Amino acid sequence: ASSADPYDVVIIGGGPGGYVAAIKAGQSGLKAACIEKRGTLGGTCLNVGCIPSKALLHNSELYHAAGHEFKNRGIDIKDMSLNLGQMMKAKDSSVGALTKGVEGLLKKNKVDYIKGAASFAGPTSINVQLNDGGETQIEAKNVVIATGSEVTPFPGIEIDEEQIVSSTGALALKKVPEKMIVIGGGVIGLEMGSVWNRLGSQVSVVEFLPTIGGAGMDHEVAANFKKILEKQGLKFNLGTKVIDAEKKDGKVFLNVEDAKSGKKQQIDADVVLVAIGRRPYTKGLNLEAIGVETDKRGRIVVDDAYNTTCKGVKCIGDATFGPMLAHKAEEEGIAVIEMLARGHGHVNYEAIPAVVYTHPEVAWVGKSEQELKDAGVSYKIGKFPFLANSRAKTNQDSEGFVKTIVEKETEKILGVHIIGPNAGELISSSVLAIEYGASAEDTSAVCHAHPTLSEAVKESALAATDKAHHKA
Ligand code: FAD
Ligand code: NAI
């Protein structure tokens, strides 16, 4: 093939959806290109999302433990202090290594990496405004849109990324704010709120709903989670509506009102984090010109094979339906290329885990109790507390529990919800269980090593079976 031949597939966006699709395309022998305007690959996740937030979560947790827990564990440290600059450098170096690694993978798999902003000139032809200046036009037999998402703005509250920040600014504050207000008690609010709380800020979360954790979290877990975070020092104003914000004398003043009583109040902080969700990002793509439809929430409309309303143009990841998660985007990246290369591909949306990387972590897969209730499904629950798990006790880290929800008649596992140490790692065996249609007995019959936290997953499955119910 000469370089003038059209590409088999061009992927717009180099995030977890786009770069995984690009690599898979190269491995499948397709002539492929990935267009990314950011200057580095990895998208939101590697540059300003999953990866930098987890670097700060891990190191702030160590700092907090060193200051508050090490003594009880028999470790005395003298002269401990925070070096925020170094903590940020450590984060930046993980990000830098990973984004360069992705660039290496594209090269290795013979994918052309085009640095610039893409815009449709036609369904098969794309204009690219190159980052280095100038413009180029490329032709493609197929296009995959993987342009991701952006922060949902709060009407009337302007983000300056210093005093009023999005998650991006919250990942790069130059000093620890004395007081921080987080608008939105979802995943970003709780993760970034935890980081700054551990580093010494007084953090208050203002949330419109009566519960925390965002969509999908089991309500029983969410209630337990809130209590644990409160013990750590986070404050919650639930059922509270933010009206507006004003910057004065180096502070931000927020006017809020109780959602039920309408009672108004003013609260102030040094830094306000706006974390009320994310929305699909399709700016500049010129979708109208090729007839790609979006829904009311800006999501690109696709069928079950990721086809948009324009023939030859597909869409995956945060820009379309489903949970805005990196691993969901990656699974779709693989499936969309398998469809192109071999005619079929599949993602099991019933078996996508969600993890909140606080301490303790919260992780789940499948249905929550409230979802099953709403759907009128008969279920049984098995629960096991980490307090009764020997490894959690040995580690002096025994808050939380594992909750296994099974179908009443068949004991098929419908959902597993974990709040506790390493929940994010522990959930993977439950994802496998759901993927393979396992029953609680299947899980409880599998040998788990002792002493491990994973025994709590087994015990919770056992507690959901009739065997356990008949034990007493
Ligand atoms: P993105 O990663 O957003 O990538 C899209 C890319 O497309 C961007 O780099 C953008 O520059 C580029 N682009 C857009 N338009 C154009 C154009 N016209 N031309 C060229 N390039 C373009 N998810 C998890 O699963 N786990 C986590 O722990 C987690 N933590 C997060 C923490 C934070 C603070 C945030 C904000 C998000 C987090 N997420 C997490 C969500 C995760 O980042 C997203 O779900 C994921 O990045 C979506 O991947 P994507 O490929 O669809 O889009
Ligand atoms: P979110 O949807 O998780 O939470 C937003 C919260 O803000 C909700 O609880 C909502 O009720 C509340 N809210 C909305 N409008 C409000 C208002 N006007 N006033 C007060 N509260 C309001 O969104 P978040 O935290 O911004 O994160 C965006 C997405 O990024 C997540 O949904 C998730 O998909 C992804 N993400 C995933 C992570 C992970 O997997 N660990 C970590 C961080 C982000």
Side-chain angles (χ1 to χ4, degrees):
S2 83
S3 61
D5 284 343
Y7 285 100
D8 293 318
V9 59
V10 166
I11 294 133
I12 307 178
Y19 82 71
V20 167
I23 292 168
K24 181 75 187 169
Q27 290 170 349
S28 307
L30 300 176
K31 182 175 151 133
C34 181
I35 310 171
E36 170 57 64
K37 66 178 181 175
R38 187 185 294 271
T40 51
L41 289 164
T44 303
C45 179
L46 264 66
N47 291 281
V48 289
C50 330
I51 298 302
S53 61
K54 264 80 260 180
L56 291 184
L57 276 156
H58 184 70
N59 289 337
S60 64
E61 175 62 17
L62 290 177
Y63 169 75
H64 189 262
H68 293 83
E69 281 182 21
F70 276 18
K71 214 175 170 53
N72 286 340
R73 296 175 186 270
I75 307 165
D76 287 331
I77 327 177
K78 285 200 188 81
D79 302 331
M80 193 199 82
S81 64
L82 174 68
N83 182 343
L84 185 62
Q86 181 56 32
M87 201 178 274
M88 291 293 172
K89 258 197 213 155
K91 171 203 70 171
D92 293 339
S93 96
S94 307
V95 169
L98 287 166
T99 55
K100 286 209 182 68
V102 173
E103 195 168 334
L105 285 172
L106 289 198
K107 207 182 252 163
K108 188 173 155 220
N109 289 290
K110 303 195 170 48
V111 176
D112 289 343
Y113 168 25
I114 303 170
K115 294 184 186 176
S119 178
F120 284 97
T124 55
S125 110
I126 296 166
N127 280 330
V128 188
Q129 292 289 334
L130 297 167
N131 287 358
D132 288 342
E135 198 183 273
T136 184
Q137 191 160 59
I138 56 176
E139 296 296 321
K141 292 182 199 157
N142 297 282
V143 182
V144 177
I145 302 173
T147 48
S149 61
E150 63 176 349
V151 173
T152 304
F154 196 110
I157 301 185
E158 200 183 321
I159 287 172
D160 59 26
E161 295 296 17
E162 287 193 6
Q163 269 188 291
I164 302 182
V165 299
S166 71
S167 51
T168 304
L171 288 166
L173 296 179
K174 292 187 190 74
K175 63 175 201 197
V176 180
E178 211 173 294
K179 277 170 137 184
M180 176 182 245
I181 294 175
V182 179
I183 309 180
V187 193
I188 291 181
L190 300 179
E191 287 188 353
M192 294 315 298
S194 287
V195 166
W196 293 105
N197 175 56
R198 293 165 186 169
L199 299 180
S201 293
Q202 275 176 264
V203 177
S204 324
V205 176
V206 182
E207 164 63 53
F208 184 70
L209 294 176
T211 56
I212 61 163
M217 190 180 289
D218 186 86
H219 285 173
E220 186 185 6
V221 170
N224 194 266
F225 191 24
K226 177 171 168 264
K227 274 192 211 140
I228 294 174
L229 293 176
E230 275 170 341
K231 261 200 281 170
Q232 294 174 8
L234 268 85
K235 295 208 165 47
F236 291 96
N237 301 295
L238 302 188
T240 305
K241 209 162 124 185
V242 173
I243 303 162
D244 54 19
E246 191 189 343
K247 284 195 260 184
K248 215 168 66 189
D249 308 327
K251 288 202 168 269
V252 186
F253 294 84
L254 278 192
N255 291 310
V256 300
E257 105 184 358
D258 188 282
K260 267 203 198 126
S261 68
K263 197 175 149 228
K264 291 188 171 52
Q265 198 192 336
Q266 191 173 62
I267 47 179
D268 67 276
D270 304 287
V271 170
V272 170
L273 163 60
V274 179
I276 57 166
R278 294 179 62 81
R279 64 180 185 190
Y281 179 80
T282 54
K283 217 185 283 167
L285 282 176
N286 200 22
L287 295 180
E288 316 74 52
I290 57 164
V292 168
E293 269 173 36
T294 54
D295 73 356
K296 257 193 246 149
R297 287 163 59 186
R299 295 175 297 193
I300 292 181
V301 175
V302 293
D303 65 12
D304 55 11
Y306 311 108
N307 296 304
T308 68
T309 46
C310 174
K311 195 167 181 305
V313 179
K314 293 174 178 267
C315 178
I316 58 165
D318 281 11
T320 184
F321 309 122
M324 290 187 168
L325 296 173
H327 43 279
K328 176 265 192 185
E330 291 181 19
E331 292 299 316
E332 291 182 340
I334 300 284
V336 80
I337 297 302
E338 283 180 339
M339 282 170 182
L340 283 177
R342 276 185 279 282
H344 53 86
H346 181 66
V347 176
N348 180 2
Y349 290 94
E350 300 301 317
I352 294 181
V355 182
V356 186
Y357 297 85
T358 44
H359 192 91
E361 291 182 346
V362 177
W364 69 93
V365 59
K367 303 283 186 230
S368 65
E369 202 180 339
Q370 66 266 14
E371 280 171 333
L372 293 171
K373 245 185 222 153
D374 290 349
V377 176
S378 307
Y379 59 86
K380 292 190 295 191
I381 286 175
K383 235 162 70 179
F384 193 82
F386 282 102
L387 207 58
N389 172 274
S390 55
R391 188 61 182 280
K393 286 293 279 182
T394 325
N395 290 352
Q396 295 172 34
D397 194 1
S398 56
E399 280 180 310
F401 55 83
V402 182
K403 173 175 175 177
T404 302
I405 316 181
V406 299
E407 209 214 351
K408 194 158 188 242
E409 286 299 308
T410 61
E411 297 188 347
K412 182 180 174 188
I413 298 176
L414 301 177
V416 178
H417 303 266
I418 309 178
I419 175 164
N422 289 18
E425 304 288 347
L426 292 177
I427 200 69
S428 61
S429 69
S430 304
V431 180
L432 204 65
I434 288 193
E435 183 73 47
Y436 284 86
S439 70
E441 191 178 359
D442 292 331
T443 295
S444 62
V446 170
C447 179
H448 289 62
H450 178 76
T452 62
L453 299 169
S454 69
E455 287 172 292
V457 177
K458 172 179 167 139
E459 291 293 341
S460 136
L462 183 65
T465 62
D466 275 339
K467 264 193 192 150
H469 289 304
H470 295 152
K471 215 164 44 181

